[in-house]
Amino acid sequence: MSALPPRWTTAELAADAEAAAAQFRVERLAVSDSWDVHYKAARRKFEQLFEKLSDLNPGEINEGSLSEAYGLGLGEALRYLAGPPISDDDLRVIADVDSIAPGVLSRDPVALQKVFGVIERVIDPHRFPWMQDGGAPSEQQREAALLASSVLLAAQRIATERRNDGKESQETRVKDYLRSLGFEEVPPGAIKTMMRGPQVKQFCAECMLGERKADVVLRLHDERLMPIECKVSNSATNSIKRLNNDAAVKAVYWIQQFGALQVVPAAVLGGVFKVLSLEQAQARGLSLFWSHDLEKLGAFIESTA
């Protein structure tokens, strides 16, 4: 009979959740130069934008200066003039243009005017009050606008970096651990049946298992497939989205699609998770492991030999 994955008690889940949260706090408070790097990069962009657009003096912004700004890759800074900042997709749809790529807009004056027309309508009056009056900013207004805009863009960039780095770091940690157990990484491919995909002591990353993508899929010693979702959460609320509304939903699908005797859906977790969310995900057939204690994952894998 195939080894069953562990099912943790409420006390065990609570202990691991606390350990993961403690590690998350340590990592977030660790000394890093990321904020300084992102702020300075954002500041340079806005200073360059202000220079090209005459300190955002409406009377001096023209097609040529806008085209030059987009050609220099300052489209992101332009989007962040809006209050709140407007996304690439929203700007393209609202402006009704085919593309807002810098190379396209710098050569298409009609599309360029439509795009900037949208930005002008949603310009942030708190950061750029002089634009409503149609004049140039005072030195104090200019500095305040540069500071606020740079902080706004830097904050968004570091938030995105943390999300991406957290997931990528989690996946890297899992893959490195599997290699330490003697598993070999193979190229990803669509897995439609149990015969396809990695073979015993192999794994692949970012591959389709049925109609759902898995972060990592490995073949256990007893030939069952084990799809692993790598989830990092920064809050109890966020954990519901990442764990219950994503990983657990995939677990239910994989079990229904391939059968409970053929597939062992799992998640490797890091960060902040609500114990109730963990219990609910586990009850739906998702096996839970933690990035701070991968030995438990290894113990289960070895038990399938």
Side-chain angles (χ1 to χ4, degrees):
M1 181 178 177
S2 297
L4 296 176
R7 288 292 180 262
W8 313 109
T9 66
T10 299
E12 288 171 327
L13 290 173
D16 273 322
E18 177 53 38
Q23 182 171 312
F24 177 81
R25 289 190 288 269
V26 169
E27 291 174 353
R28 281 297 171 90
L29 292 174
V31 176
S32 170
D33 63 352
S34 290
W35 175 251
D36 189 54
V37 169
H38 283 300
Y39 173 78
K40 288 179 178 178
R43 177 82 184 207
R44 285 193 295 270
K45 276 186 174 291
F46 282 107
E47 286 179 344
Q48 192 175 15
L49 182 66
F50 272 47
E51 178 184 345
K52 295 301 176 186
L53 300 186
S54 304
D55 286 340
L56 303 185
N57 185 336
E60 297 187 26
I61 298 175
N62 54 52
E63 181 184 307
S65 60
L66 283 173
S67 178
E68 187 176 0
Y70 268 101
L72 291 171
L74 299 176
E76 181 182 39
L78 277 163
R79 291 191 294 103
Y80 270 74
L81 299 180
I86 188 169
S87 70
D88 277 330
D89 288 339
D90 283 355
L91 182 56
R92 181 180 59 80
V93 171
I94 296 171
D96 192 23
V97 295
D98 293 331
S99 172
I100 60 170
V104 174
L105 289 180
S106 62
R107 298 191 307 270
D108 188 341
V110 174
L112 186 65
Q113 286 297 335
K114 290 170 73 174
V115 166
F116 190 69
V118 171
I119 294 174
E120 278 189 308
R121 291 183 63 180
V122 293
I123 202 83
D124 188 344
H126 301 290
R127 284 182 289 149
F128 315 108
W130 67 89
M131 292 196 72
Q132 293 181 324
D133 301 328
S138 66
E139 186 58 35
Q140 184 177 9
Q141 286 177 322
R142 183 181 187 277
E143 177 57 31
L146 283 170
L147 175 63
S149 300
S150 301
V151 167
L152 193 62
L153 177 54
Q156 180 58 47
R157 283 188 167 181
I158 203 165
T160 301
E161 180 183 84
R162 282 176 170 175
R163 284 195 301 272
N164 293 339
D165 285 355
K167 177 178 172 58
E168 291 172 5
S169 175
Q170 190 89 319
E171 289 183 17
T172 298
R173 197 173 302 176
V174 169
K175 291 191 290 184
D176 287 346
Y177 183 70
L178 291 175
R179 292 188 187 97
S180 76
L181 297 179
F183 279 73
E184 173 193 6
E185 183 171 7
V186 296
I191 305 172
K192 296 293 186 180
T193 69
M194 289 299 299
M195 300 297 293
R196 294 186 175 274
Q199 299 306 300
V200 172
K201 296 205 72 174
Q202 292 181 339
F203 71 90
C204 61
E206 299 292 336
C207 59
M208 296 297 294
L209 180 56
E211 300 299 326
R212 300 295 182 100
K213 179 180 282 189
D215 293 331
V216 177
V217 177
L218 65 96
R219 181 82 64 173
L220 296 169
H221 297 288
D222 57 15
E223 299 190 356
R224 287 179 294 173
L225 284 176
M226 186 177 196
I228 300 176
E229 289 291 285
C230 299
K231 298 298 180 185
V232 178
S233 169
N234 59 13
S235 71
T237 300
N238 183 256
S239 72
I240 297 174
K241 173 185 175 183
R242 299 194 180 282
L243 182 63
N244 303 80
N245 296 344
D246 186 9
V249 170
K250 289 182 179 181
V252 171
Y253 166 80
W254 285 323
I255 291 171
Q256 291 175 342
Q257 186 76 8
F258 296 99
L261 298 179
Q262 301 295 326
V263 66
V264 184
V268 171
L269 309 176
V272 183
F273 288 86
K274 192 174 182 180
V275 175
L276 178 60
S277 299
L278 297 169
E279 291 179 310
Q280 291 172 339
Q282 183 172 250
R284 297 173 74 181
L286 185 67
S287 299
L288 304 178
F289 301 95
W290 299 86
S291 58
H292 67 263
D293 191 7
L294 288 174
E295 287 75 15
K296 290 177 181 175
L297 172 63
F300 169 68
I301 291 173
E302 293 307 312
S303 74
T304 67

